[in-house]
Amino acid sequence: MFQQPELSPWPSGFIWGSATAAAQIEGAAHEDGKEDSIWDHFARLPGAIASGDLPEQAVDHYHRMPEDVQLMKRLGLGSYRFSTSWARVKPGDRFVNHAGLDFYSRLVDELLEADILPWLTLYHWDLPQALEDQGGWTNRDTAYRFADYAETVYGRLGDRVTHWTTFNEPLCSSLIGYAAGEHAPGRTEPRAALAATHHQHLAHGLAVNRLRHLGASLHAGGETSDRIGITLNLTNAVPIDPSDPVDLDAARRIDALWNRMYLEPLLLGAYPPDLLRDLQGQGLEDVIVEGDLELIAQPLDFLGVNHYHDDAVSGHPEPRGSRGAAQPTARPKASPFVGSEFVTFPSRGLPRTSMDWEVNPDGLRTLLVRLGLQYPNLPPLYVTENGAAYDDAVSPDGCIHDPERTAYIRAHITAVSRAIDDGADVRGYFVWSLLDNFEWAWGYEKRFGVVRVDYTTGERTIKDSGLAYSEIISKSSASVYTGED
Ligand code: PNW
């Protein structure tokens, strides 16, 4: 049995959880009044998804929800991070679909009954297609629609849900969806991607404001236990040759575009000046209206950090080696690196997951520590996603022995502990993902679950990594967990 290195005790109240997203697990794409999201629509375009998989059924969580909550309980999770589907709650964005909201209300009740803290994300990439038809996130009006949708969800669940996340990884749903064309809505227009980024920031600010006001009026005396934040995917951009100014500048650009373009409007109320220089003439400044940045920089109760890997970066063209990531889809592709399309991602020879992402656990420690040093007003951090895809096989004994995923999770949890030792204020860790699921442009081919899903029968089986995670949770709770928030 693998020996976990000696770790410091976890801070009291440290939250152990797992995460999923509506479009990746629910299925029931056209049931009980749900209409198309951009992912339902995009997935039907020829070549959009590897092997033509659709999210229509996903892992049928919509029907198996009570069973899935029992699984969480067996694993000993303290919290479950899930998202609500805008296209289920307000399908065409005009009317509230109460049947859709009922589902989330039942989920929240099941979770509370099982002593699992519901951690709700309002936007995990599944915009109603009806809004995309009006320009989607390139249309400023979508930000105001989002605040209305947030209000609708809060109106139904705000009496029981205390932890609210506005957006999951706005980078992916703007740059990868609108510039690279690899995610829904599949557009390849750099200017549109920057407009989408800004409008998602604005939507976040408007929604935080709205939720705070609703919380104050819902709870007597204005005292709420609500915690409101956002989740960003943050990636260390490591210059491949730190003594080469060309590589250094490439890494600075990628850091600005992938990390600071999201962190700084939220935390500092301004886009980074070097980013604005890099992006001159690309249209970002054209969509900023006076007062937007003040609105965007609402105080946050937490920052969710999704982290999977670092990227080594070079400003030199290949063939100094490329990341070599196979494109999952056959549709036309462009670069997600708006204004830095020339940057390359050389290999450092580290082991890789089946997503072709580097495994380098210390990158998570570095990231968590550096955020605190870089931003003195940083709110508490939660690792809201971390995990790995590997090609699992079911053994003749019926078990799923996934030593690579188990090692990945253990090593990253160790990195979180070390980051806390080094001064980072990290208060929780959520493994991605509870279940194998619809991995966006890759379809069902990539499995991230700590629980295996048989895509023919729907059967769930806890993998060795799930058992190991469960053991980590129970050991840490037994020694230090006090149940305090
Ligand atoms: C996240 N990258 O997306 C999402 O929040 C999940 O829905 C997703 O299933 C999970 O990570 C695994 O992919 C990412 O290129 C997409 O570094 C791309 C990257 C990272 C995260």
Side-chain angles (χ1 to χ4, degrees), residues 24 124-125 168-169 172 308-309 357 385 432 439-440 448:
Q24 295 182 272
H124 200 127
W125 308 355
N168 175 74
E169 302 191 356
C172 290
Y308 290 88
H309 60 87
W357 293 345
E385 282 181 31
W432 183 270
E439 177 52 32
W440 308 113
F448 274 90

Side-chain angles (χ1 to χ4, degrees), residues 371-455:
L371 284 173
L373 299 175
Q374 222 166 327
Y375 303 108
N377 66 336
L378 191 73
L381 301 176
Y382 290 83
V383 176
T384 38
E385 282 181 31
N386 172 247
Y390 287 105
D391 304 329
D392 306 317
V394 182
S395 298
D397 60 5
C399 298
I400 294 93
H401 303 302
D402 56 343
E404 293 167 304
R405 183 179 296 100
T406 305
Y408 179 100
I409 293 170
R410 284 189 192 282
H412 283 78
I413 288 175
T414 300
V416 173
S417 174
R418 303 268 188 261
I420 296 171
D421 290 344
D422 291 350
D425 182 7
V426 190
R427 308 220 180 149
Y429 173 92
F430 293 74
V431 74
W432 183 270
S433 178
L434 175 69
L435 302 163
D436 291 337
N437 61 47
F438 178 75
E439 177 52 32
W440 308 113
W442 292 95
Y444 299 99
E445 186 189 318
K446 305 290 181 195
R447 292 176 178 270
F448 274 90
V450 295
V451 174
R452 183 181 177 87
V453 176
D454 178 320
Y455 287 121

